[in-house]
Amino acid sequence: MPDDCPFIVVGKPQILFSGKWLYVKETKFKKPGSDHLQTKPDGVDVIATLKKNGKKYFVLIKQYRFPLEGFCIEFPAGLIDPGEEALQAGLRELKEETGYTATKVVSVSPGIQSLDPGITDDSVVFVTVEIDGDAPENLSPKQSLDEGESLEVLLVECDKILDYINSIAGTVNIETMVYTFAVGFAMGRTF
Amino acid sequence: MPDDCPFIVVGKPQILFSGKWLYVKETKFKKPGSDHLQTKPDGVDVIATLKKNGKKYFVLIKQYRFPLEGFCIEFPAGLIDPGEEALQAGLRELKEETGYTATKVVSVSPGIQSLDPGITDDSVVFVTVEIDGDAPENLSPKQSLDEGESLEVLLVECDKILDYINSIAGTVNIETMVYTFAVGFAMGRTF
């Protein structure tokens, strides 16, 4: 444990289950402190804005997820391959999952973002890009999916994203990061 | 599996590990269709805007998370108790974790939002509220934390949230839903 951990660990943490992708570790602790930070993210998520025929869209995907036994609305995303940089992985995954080639990289998030910090250390970096949908390479986008992937690309008009998400939320799962993005965007517009 | 699952399950899913809070299930599948939707979320996250002395802030928390072995910036949040509604749980958690009493409920998200759908079915509902920081009950906010909780309340000026998150992201973990909220808010302001 790091020095600034506000809890005292009791005994030795135990690995309860160890698989190919996941392990489960039990740490017993009690209340009574330097921050530990992961330096390598597991994956990358892409926040992409597409301009086409004078309109602006956010690029989302709808993917079947076994843990949910159903479909989920997410950003294009994927694991970072060994030796790959986050930005490179983001542009690759965007192209593979949606067929679109990013025209401009707006930002790569600093540090690492945690998906579900209460129960896992699963983490991503965010790559934010713009796509020129009128560019020749983006006129007929074609996915190239891995064997285990089945996903649909959704183009959602930017100014309607929260209404859209709220309208489908009863019929499909929404990833938390997509929901809060939509809420933040709507709040920002009227701030 | 639901009828619209785009994969064929091979053999019978196996429970590889079963604990108090978590289980690990292995499902083998191959490629070859009605959606399964969870109806009960595990937890609730609160997106709170605080107005005080003419300024507007977002209310975030900084919490030690064992899976990360470090601190994480999150929205106030918690599990929904048995028999409790999501809204009720959100208002309770906001009060317990930050000491603030919500003045106005803006929305409760429809459906259920998934935290990390690639590996878990952990889910929440979002409660969005406004807090009058000048109201008598909010002048001296006092946390009442559970035994296992250690967390700090952060008030971040709304129009600076993305700059703030980017400035601290190298020194502390940021939950994905907070990061995308900040990006969305900044994008909405300049849309």
Side-chain angles (χ1 to χ4, degrees), chain B residues 111-180:
Chain B
I112 281 181
Q113 287 72 55
S114 306
L115 284 136
D116 192 359
I119 59 172
T120 88
D121 67 354
D122 198 15
S123 66
V124 296
V125 160
F126 286 95
V127 173
T128 302
V129 303
E130 292 175 0
I131 301 166
D132 178 358
D134 299 315
E137 67 272 24
N138 289 323
L139 291 180
S140 305
K142 199 158 179 283
Q143 295 170 299
S144 61
L145 301 176
D146 292 337
E147 177 65 25
E149 285 183 316
S150 175
L151 54 84
E152 178 186 343
V153 179
L154 305 173
L155 299 185
V156 183
E157 283 184 67
C158 292
D159 55 351
K160 294 175 183 156
I161 186 163
L162 183 56
D163 288 344
Y164 173 75
I165 293 292
N166 280 333
S167 73
I168 61 170
T171 61
V172 63
N173 300 286
I174 312 287
E175 194 168 16
T176 52
M177 66 171 84
V178 171
Y179 190 81
T180 61

Side-chain angles (χ1 to χ4, degrees), chain B residues 1 5 11 59 90 92 158:
Chain B
M1 288 300 129
C5 171
V59 182
R92 176 182 56 72
C158 292

Side-chain angles (χ1 to χ4, degrees), chain A residues 21-38:
Chain A
W21 301 107
L22 278 179
Y23 66 87
V24 177
K25 185 165 83 170
E26 181 185 57
T27 304
K28 292 184 177 165
F29 66 96
K30 60 182 184 182
K31 258 201 169 171
S34 167
D35 243 340
H36 171 88
L37 282 170
Q38 287 177 277

Side-chain angles (χ1 to χ4, degrees), chain B residues 53-119:
Chain B
N53 297 327
K55 282 195 172 179
K56 283 188 181 182
Y57 305 84
F58 292 123
V59 182
L60 301 176
I61 61 165
K62 180 179 169 182
Q63 181 166 21
Y64 189 84
R65 290 300 202 175
F66 267 94
L68 307 180
E69 295 186 9
F71 290 88
C72 193
I73 306 295
E74 306 174 16
F75 291 115
L79 296 175
I80 301 173
D81 287 339
E84 207 178 26
E85 293 297 320
L87 172 58
Q88 191 185 355
L91 299 178
R92 176 182 56 72
E93 288 287 353
L94 178 69
K95 176 80 178 164
E96 288 177 5
E97 294 196 341
T98 72
Y100 288 113
T101 301
T103 311
K104 183 186 165 189
V105 176
V106 177
S107 66
V108 177
S109 65
I112 281 181
Q113 287 72 55
S114 306
L115 284 136
D116 192 359
I119 59 172

Side-chain angles (χ1 to χ4, degrees), chain A residues 109-128:
Chain A
S109 64
I112 282 181
Q113 287 72 56
S114 307
L115 285 136
D116 192 0
I119 61 170
T120 89
D121 66 354
D122 198 14
S123 65
V124 295
V125 160
F126 286 94
V127 173
T128 303

Side-chain angles (χ1 to χ4, degrees), chain A residues 5 10 13 16 32 37 41 62 66 71 77-79 82 88 91 115 123 134-135 138 145 148 160 166 168 178:
Chain A
C5 171
V10 180
L16 301 183
L37 282 170
K62 179 179 170 182
F66 268 94
F71 289 88
L79 296 175
Q88 191 184 353
L91 299 178
L115 285 136
S123 65
D134 298 316
N138 289 324
L145 301 177
K160 294 176 185 155
N166 280 334
I168 60 170
V178 171

